[in-house]
Amino acid sequence: MPARPSEICLRLNIEALCAYLDAEKPLLPEPDEVHRFLDAVNKYGKHCSSTGEFSLSLEELKKSLLDPACPKFYRERLSSPFVQLSIFKNFSNAYFRVPVEDFQLVVETINDYVVERWKLTAYAATNGRILGEKDMNEYLTAFIREYANFPEEDVDYALCIYRSKFSFCLDGAGTSNYQIKDLLSSGLVREMRDSLALDSNNWFSKTNLLRILGEFQALDTNQDGLLNYEELKAMEDVNPEFVYRLCQKKMSFENDGIDFGAFCTYRLAMDNPHCLATCRYLFDIFDGDGDGLLTIEDLRALLVALRKKLYEREYMDIPKSDDVLLAEMLDCVGCADLQRMSLKQICRSGLAHVFLRIFVNTEEFINYDLRETEPEKDPAGPISSRLYP
């Protein structure tokens, strides 16, 4: 589920609200005390007649802090004019009222932020600020064993699931180093904790682990724990040239195939098509020589293989030649006159996620090809906002 704008603001500013709390961590209230206070806040909120939001004015917020259910820890700190000014600056509407749920989110996040920062610091062996690959594995393994309640035989698979998302979202350079402030402000630690209660659409959930592991094992016909090119080609609707390049870029264990961790990253990219990290991931696989630029030859090879697969599916309605079709697709992202293009140049159009996925998936290509006769299927969105020629 995408973060609300107010959550994004909170992630950017919560460090300023919490920086001075760490020294008094032992004074943090117990979770049940926090929940009682969050429930009590509701009786002070009112429906704003102008916006329809259930919200708090500054005076109502102050009254909620005087409620007997409010722990002393929060009363002392959230009563600070600096904190209240920060809350209203970041979360209030034009009528200077803060949505009740946003104020509750502030309280929850302060609590989570302080507790998790101390846990993460304990695992940061180098300097207390950065978790290396080994540190991160230890932190995630401890969380999985203590909270996630996976069977012991699934712990290694769960670690791959957990690690893949942190790496995918926060380690674009591939350094395997994670700053604690980035881990906390990204919201991923909170998402990881939410998976314990919300099991349906959460990447870290047991349901998702079973889904991804089931797909991997179904493809692994020789049961060696790796997926080779022939096994990956069995994926329906996926361009075989893309599969070949995926194997070349992500191959492990002496070129025998991609492991479960690499497969997790692939599925994460396919499940999050609008994410910039997905565009970066696909661009890296498309980039044959790894120089950070896509060439016409890179894209033509992908397009030829894609059309061949479409013919195998008996989708014959592609009258245009490869060069004409490729030029048209490049024109969609403003790169028709370029022989070599960077990810930044492709992203300027706002359609990078559509453009890159067309070369990966036959269904995406068919939707693109039918955009004029069936605009409701256009992967770029509603006809009113389409940028295709």
Side-chain angles (χ1 to χ4, degrees), residues 127-151:
N127 58 15
R129 294 183 294 109
I130 298 174
L131 271 69
E133 183 176 11
K134 181 181 177 182
D135 304 329
M136 194 66 180
N137 287 343
E138 290 177 352
Y139 168 71
L140 293 175
T141 302
F143 179 91
I144 291 167
R145 285 205 163 101
E146 184 176 355
Y147 299 109
N149 198 28
F150 288 111

Side-chain angles (χ1 to χ4, degrees), residues 161-175:
I161 288 278
Y162 279 55
R163 187 173 53 204
S164 66
K165 186 152 191 179
F166 282 94
S167 175
F168 185 74
C169 297
L170 301 179
D171 188 26
T175 63

Side-chain angles (χ1 to χ4, degrees), residues 33-283:
E33 294 180 81
V34 178
H35 292 149
R36 282 199 297 272
F37 172 48
L38 295 178
D39 292 338
V41 169
N42 288 316
K43 64 185 179 186
Y44 295 98
K46 295 178 181 176
H47 283 283
C48 178
S49 58
S50 301
T51 66
E53 290 181 319
F54 191 54
S55 55
L56 294 163
S57 67
L58 182 59
E59 287 305 312
E60 290 163 353
L61 184 148
K62 290 178 179 179
K63 288 179 181 178
S64 72
L65 295 174
L66 295 174
D67 189 281
C70 179
K72 180 180 178 182
F73 181 85
Y74 288 117
R75 183 177 299 122
E76 291 177 351
R77 287 149 186 82
L78 294 178
S79 296
S80 158
F82 162 74
V83 172
Q84 292 178 1
L85 180 62
S86 296
I87 292 171
F88 273 83
K89 177 181 177 182
N90 293 313
F91 304 108
S92 68
N93 56 36
Y95 303 94
F96 208 60
R97 298 184 67 86
V98 176
V100 169
E101 62 178 10
D102 282 350
F103 178 66
Q104 292 170 328
L105 183 64
V106 169
V107 174
E108 286 183 306
T109 308
I110 287 177
N111 204 74
D112 294 347
Y113 192 100
V114 175
V115 172
E116 289 301 327
R117 180 153 65 175
W118 274 81
K119 288 181 181 178
L120 287 164
T121 302
Y123 284 95
T126 306
N127 58 15
R129 294 183 294 109
I130 298 174
L131 271 69
E133 183 176 11
K134 181 181 177 182
D135 304 329
M136 194 66 180
N137 287 343
E138 290 177 352
Y139 168 71
L140 293 175
T141 302
F143 179 91
I144 291 167
R145 285 205 163 101
E146 184 176 355
Y147 299 109
N149 198 28
F150 288 111
E152 188 59 32
E153 62 269 20
D154 289 344
V155 168
D156 287 341
Y157 292 119
L159 178 60
C160 288
I161 288 278
Y162 279 55
R163 187 173 53 204
S164 66
K165 186 152 191 179
F166 282 94
S167 175
F168 185 74
C169 297
L170 301 179
D171 188 26
T175 63
S176 297
N177 289 322
Y178 304 88
Q179 291 199 42
I180 289 177
K181 65 178 183 179
D182 293 338
L183 291 169
L184 292 167
S185 63
S186 70
L188 292 179
V189 171
R190 185 177 182 85
E191 181 183 341
M192 187 171 70
R193 294 183 61 189
D194 286 347
S195 71
L196 304 177
L198 306 173
D199 197 42
S200 54
N201 296 317
N202 190 302
W203 176 260
F204 300 106
S205 69
K206 189 172 183 178
T207 299
N208 188 60
L209 170 63
L210 295 176
R211 176 178 71 94
I212 302 297
L213 183 57
E215 291 179 12
F216 182 84
Q217 292 175 338
L219 291 169
D220 186 17
T221 54
N222 62 6
Q223 298 183 345
D224 65 347
L226 300 170
L227 298 181
N228 58 39
Y229 173 67
E230 293 300 325
E231 290 171 330
L232 284 167
K233 271 206 315 181
M235 290 191 293
E236 223 176 297
D237 300 327
V238 180
N239 186 343
E241 176 66 17
F242 171 77
V243 171
Y244 174 76
R245 297 189 185 198
L246 172 65
C247 288
Q248 293 298 307
K249 287 292 183 78
K250 308 300 179 181
M251 196 79 77
S252 57
F253 298 103
E254 300 180 354
N255 298 325
D256 287 331
I258 68 169
D259 59 14
F260 182 66
F263 183 73
C264 288
T265 306
Y266 163 76
R267 289 304 305 146
L268 190 58
M270 295 300 101
D271 290 350
N272 295 273
H274 299 281
C275 177
L276 178 60
T278 296
C279 295
R280 188 185 301 117
Y281 173 82
L282 295 178
F283 186 93

Side-chain angles (χ1 to χ4, degrees), residues 324-342:
V324 171
L325 189 57
L326 183 57
E328 180 184 283
M329 294 164 73
L330 287 168
D331 191 47
C332 295
V333 288
C335 296
D337 299 326
L338 301 177
Q339 293 296 310
R340 300 162 69 84
M341 62 215 77
S342 66

